């Protein structure tokens, strides 16, 4: 409290050109790890904004932690998935390469993509008023996804070949005692290969569910699945 801080680069541009704030205006800052700071702008110049911190508040996010494992889609679709997933409340995003994934990235390209997605996640968290900054992993393998799913209480595979279990039916079984962590897995445009499906079904506590009679694009499937989750068990009213 009472400290002065300089905000430069993208933050200064956002304050000046997007929010169009000026000296004397209030501002909320966040550290991405649960702390929010009420501040006031003291001055703004073309390169930076100087703010005074007025007070600090610790906040939490309600609802279970959601991890989204998304097979890499074509083009820039992953950009949109990251942005919308953060807006609807995802905590952890794990892009991965499956057998039917079209993109094949070199290590340097994968690192560059991950940096871009982290920037998009920050922008989405800032825009949607989230206090925790979701983490975005560098694209990994199918095995990486299987390993990362282990700690989750509920593992959901949204699969176009599943016809027996609907998402609403499965999620309703967890309403009495919601899981502390959920792992949501979405496949590539061409769907999971049969051998990948068998490996997924062999995992403990994995539930394959359907999103209905229509085949959805990868970006639509991800947001539809997350929306269903938040409406049934998450922090949405």
């Amino acid at each position: 409290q009472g400290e002065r801080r300089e905000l430069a680069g993208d933050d200064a541009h956002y304050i000046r050109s997007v929010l169009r704030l000026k000296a004397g205006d209030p501002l909320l800052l966040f550290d991405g790890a649960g702390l929010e700071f009420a501040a006031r702008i003291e001055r703004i110049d073309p390169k930076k904004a100087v703010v005074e911190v007025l007070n600090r508040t610790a906040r939490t996010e309600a609802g279970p932690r959601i991890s989204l494992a998304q097979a890499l889609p074509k083009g820039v679709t992953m950009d949109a998935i990251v942005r919308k997933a953060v807006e609807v409340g995802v905590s952890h995003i794990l892009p991965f390469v499956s057998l039917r994934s079209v993109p094949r990235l070199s290590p340097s390209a994968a690192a560059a993509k991950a940096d871009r997605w982290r920037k998009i996640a920050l922008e989405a968290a800032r825009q949607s008023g989230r206090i925790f900054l979701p983490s975005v992993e560098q694209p990994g393998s199918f095995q990486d996804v299987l390993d990362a799913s282990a700690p989750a209480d509920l593992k959901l595979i949204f699969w176009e070949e599943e016809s027996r279990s609907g998402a609403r039916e499965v999620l309703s079984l967890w309403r009495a005692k919601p899981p502390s962590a959920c792992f949501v897995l979405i496949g590539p445009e061409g769907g999971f290969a049969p051998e990948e499906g068998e490996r997924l079904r062999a995992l403990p506590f994995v539930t394959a569910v359907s999103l209905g009679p229509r085949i959805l694009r990868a970006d639509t499937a991800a947001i539809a699945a997350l929306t269903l989750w938040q409406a049934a068990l998450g922090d949405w009213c």
Side-chain angles (χ1 to χ4, degrees):
Q1 185 172 345
E3 287 186 358
R4 268 72 177 175
R5 291 298 177 97
E6 291 186 358
L7 305 177
D10 290 342
D11 290 332
H13 171 77
Y14 186 74
I15 291 169
R16 184 181 64 254
S17 302
V18 180
L19 298 179
R20 299 186 180 278
L21 299 178
K22 58 185 183 299
D25 284 342
L27 189 67
L28 278 178
L29 311 176
F30 75 109
D31 68 351
L35 292 178
E36 186 176 73
F37 304 83
R40 179 175 57 242
I41 299 173
E42 289 196 338
R43 68 178 188 276
I44 301 178
D45 63 35
K47 292 187 177 180
K48 66 179 182 296
V50 179
V51 303
E52 178 190 7
V53 176
L54 304 177
N55 60 61
R56 181 181 72 175
T57 305
R59 285 178 48 192
T60 59
E61 287 190 323
R65 175 182 172 85
I66 311 171
S67 295
L68 170 66
Q70 172 68 57
L72 286 178
K74 293 182 289 186
V76 296
T77 305
M78 191 67 193
D79 293 8
I81 291 174
V82 169
R83 186 180 303 279
K84 299 304 180 183
V86 172
E87 289 182 21
V88 299
V90 159
S91 302
H92 188 199
I93 300 173
L94 303 92
F96 70 97
V97 178
S98 74
L99 290 175
R100 291 178 177 171
S101 293
V102 174
R104 300 290 172 176
L105 304 176
S106 66
S108 60
K113 288 281 191 183
D115 287 342
R116 173 177 173 79
W117 295 328
R118 290 175 188 129
K119 183 177 180 180
I120 290 172
L122 173 58
E123 292 170 351
R126 180 170 61 188
Q127 177 271 319
S128 56
R130 293 192 60 182
I131 204 66
F132 288 90
L133 180 61
S135 57
V136 183
E137 301 294 337
Q138 189 165 312
S141 67
F142 186 69
Q143 185 59 51
D144 292 333
V145 166
L146 301 187
D147 294 341
S149 71
D153 305 290
L154 176 58
K155 305 175 183 69
L156 294 175
I157 311 164
F158 288 88
W159 200 359
E160 69 279 1
E161 294 186 13
E162 176 60 46
S163 59
R164 294 169 297 175
S165 301
R168 183 169 57 182
E169 172 191 355
V170 170
L171 291 173
S172 67
L173 300 176
W174 287 82
R175 283 202 180 100
K177 187 180 179 182
S180 60
C182 177
F183 196 90
V184 174
L185 194 146
I186 305 290
E189 284 97 340
F192 289 112
E195 53 266 48
E196 290 174 326
E198 291 306 312
R199 291 177 67 187
L200 288 167
R201 288 183 181 277
L203 290 175
F205 312 115
V206 162
T207 303
V209 295
S210 168
L211 281 171
R214 289 167 290 278
I215 302 297
L216 304 180
R217 287 166 50 101
D219 52 334
T220 306
I223 305 309
L226 295 170
T227 301
L228 278 170
W229 162 265
Q230 288 286 47
L233 302 177
D235 59 3
W236 288 7
C237 296

